DNA sequence: AGGATGACCGGAC
DNA sequence: GGTCCGGCCATCC
C-alpha cells in the first residue's frame, strides 16, 4: 500500500460513493478508478474489512458477471436485491443485473477527476 | 518467508 | 446466454 497517498481503502470508499443512483459498478472498474488496475480483489476485501465507517452503497457493487456476491454481508439474503429494485434496477431470479443496461459508464473525465482528487489529498496531507 | 484465501477479471470454449 | 480456468495482488496464518 502507498503510504504517501490516500489509503487505497479510502479511495475505494470515495469511488463507491460516487456511483450514480440506479447504476451498478464492478470491482475491477472501481479498482481502475482508484488508480490501481488489477486490484479488484482488494476492492472486495476493502468493502468487507475496512469500510465500516463509510456510508457505502454496497448494493451497487457487483462482479463482472452481474452477480451480487456480497449478499452475505447484508443483514439478510435478498436485501441487496431489494435495494437495487428500489432504485429501478432490474434483478433476475438468481440475483443478477443486466450489465448492458445498468452498468455505470464512467467517462475519462470521471477517472481524471478522481485521480486529481486523490493526488490533491496527498499533497494537502 | 512461503502458502492459503478472497464480495474478482477477462479470455477461452 | 453459460461455465471453466489461469492470472491477479494485498492480507492472513
Amino acid at each position: 500500500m502507498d503510504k504517501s497517498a490516500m489509503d487505497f481503502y479510502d479511495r475505494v470508499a470515495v469511488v463507491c460513493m460516487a456511483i450514480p443512483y440506479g447504476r451498478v459498478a464492478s470491482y475491477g472498474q472501481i479498482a481502475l478508478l482508484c488508480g490501481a488496475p488489477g486490484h479488484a480483489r482488494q476492492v472486495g476485501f476493502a468493502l468487507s474489512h475496512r469500510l465500516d465507517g463509510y456510508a457505502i452503497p454496497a448494493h451497487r457493487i457487483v462482479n463482472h458477471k452481474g452477480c451480487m456476491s456480497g449478499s452475505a454481508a447484508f443483514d439478510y439474503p435478498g436485501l441487496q436485491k431489494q435495494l437495487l429494485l428500489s432504485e429501478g434496477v432490474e434483478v433476475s431470479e438468481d440475483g443478477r443485473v443486466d450489465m448492458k443496461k445498468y452498468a455505470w459508464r464512467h467517462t475519462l473525465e470521471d477517472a481524471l477527476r478522481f485521480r486529481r482528487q486523490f493526488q490533491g489529498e496527498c499533497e494537502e496531507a
Side-chain angles (χ1 to χ4, degrees), chain A residues 32-116:
Chain A
L32 192 63
L33 290 175
C34 286
H39 288 59
R41 307 190 81 132
Q42 278 56 252
V43 173
F45 197 85
L47 286 167
S48 61
H49 289 268
R50 295 296 189 90
L51 300 182
D52 15 324
Y54 294 95
I56 305 293
H59 57 284
R60 296 187 193 140
I61 317 294
V62 296
N63 63 26
H64 76 125
K65 287 181 287 193
C67 298
M68 306 179 296
S69 16
S71 56
F74 291 84
D75 289 347
Y76 57 91
L79 176 59
Q80 182 172 14
K81 178 176 179 178
Q82 180 179 319
L83 289 170
L84 287 173
L85 290 175
S86 71
E87 296 190 356
V89 177
E90 298 176 39
V91 181
S92 62
E93 297 292 333
D94 49 352
R96 289 196 318 219
V97 305
D98 188 341
M99 297 299 281
K100 291 284 191 182
K101 284 186 183 176
Y102 299 107
W104 173 31
R105 286 165 300 196
H106 70 269
T107 62
L108 179 59
E109 293 179 6
D110 291 323
L112 291 176
R113 178 161 43 82
F114 282 124
R115 190 173 69 83
R116 198 166 55 238

